[in-house]
Amino acid sequence: MTAPRQDVSARRDGYVAGRDLHLHVSGQQLSLYPEERFAAPLTYDRERPIFLQYLNPEIRSCYGRPQAARFTETDLSQALHATRLAVLATDEELILPASYLFEVPSLSVFLTRIRSLVVRGVVHYSSHIADLDSYVEHKAVEYRRDARNPYELTPHHSLTDGLVWRPRYA
């Protein structure tokens, strides 16, 4: 039996649900040791964008998924669930590194499923180089000795259709 198809919709999942459910941590003392007191209460900043690190192949490999493995329906379902939570947890953008466009297997499937977020400008990709073709040339040099250089292929511009570039400064 296959799992039902899940899509992430900004209207349904983020903006409707988000208006009723907010993530608040302000005013709480966050410590493993109750006797510790902080000078100022820790607060959650909804104005910070969320980096989609959960798609990182190296991190996924820590959980037993081979780095080159394509997303299974379970992987995709978990990524979509994490994305729903991310949309609810911030008033800003979701950011993925430009490298994911080339290094993450099945990213196109994930981006298709969150297309309404991409179209609304909620999802950005980040790199230190604005032009994606120049970015590919730069990264191809870094991977020149890698037998599976993901930057040797012509970039799939359809992946970035609708994605907003966000400069990375550090």
Side-chain angles (χ1 to χ4, degrees):
M1 181 166 81
T2 61
R5 180 183 160 110
Q6 293 183 355
D7 290 333
V8 176
S9 167
R11 178 171 292 129
R12 183 182 70 233
D13 295 319
Y15 299 104
V16 173
R19 111 184 131 210
D20 299 321
L21 175 65
H22 291 317
L23 182 62
H24 292 286
V25 184
S26 60
Q28 294 182 8
Q29 294 293 330
L30 302 177
S31 174
L32 294 174
Y33 307 100
E35 63 275 5
E36 282 186 15
R37 297 290 176 228
F38 295 97
L42 299 176
T43 59
Y44 182 80
D45 185 1
R46 293 187 57 82
E47 294 181 13
R48 292 190 62 173
I50 293 182
F51 193 71
L52 302 184
Q53 192 70 10
Y54 52 83
L55 299 172
N56 184 311
E58 289 84 13
I59 290 177
R60 292 180 67 229
S61 71
C62 292
Y63 293 92
R65 297 293 298 148
Q67 287 189 23
R70 297 188 82 66
F71 276 10
T72 64
E73 277 301 316
T74 300
D75 295 330
L76 187 57
S77 175
Q78 291 170 350
L80 293 172
H81 181 72
T83 303
R84 284 187 182 93
L85 294 175
V87 167
L88 292 173
T90 187
D91 294 328
E92 294 299 318
E93 298 82 23
L94 306 180
I95 302 171
L96 54 96
S99 63
Y100 285 16
L101 297 169
F102 305 94
E103 298 176 22
V104 174
S106 302
L107 185 70
S108 61
V109 174
F110 174 76
L111 289 175
T112 299
R113 298 280 183 94
I114 63 166
R115 185 75 190 143
S116 64
L117 296 176
V118 172
V119 168
R120 286 175 177 80
V122 175
V123 181
H124 295 193
Y125 72 95
S126 182
S127 70
H128 60 290
I129 300 173
D131 178 59
L132 201 55
D133 291 327
S134 298
Y135 175 79
V136 168
E137 289 175 18
H138 172 78
K139 294 296 276 188
V141 171
E142 287 181 24
Y143 280 79
R144 67 185 169 276
R145 290 187 175 89
D146 190 333
R148 294 175 305 184
N149 182 345
Y151 297 95
E152 287 181 340
L153 304 174
T154 304
H156 299 285
H157 291 283
S158 62
L159 274 180
T160 59
D161 184 35
L163 286 176
V164 177
W165 174 71
R166 183 180 187 115
R168 188 189 83 206
Y169 299 107

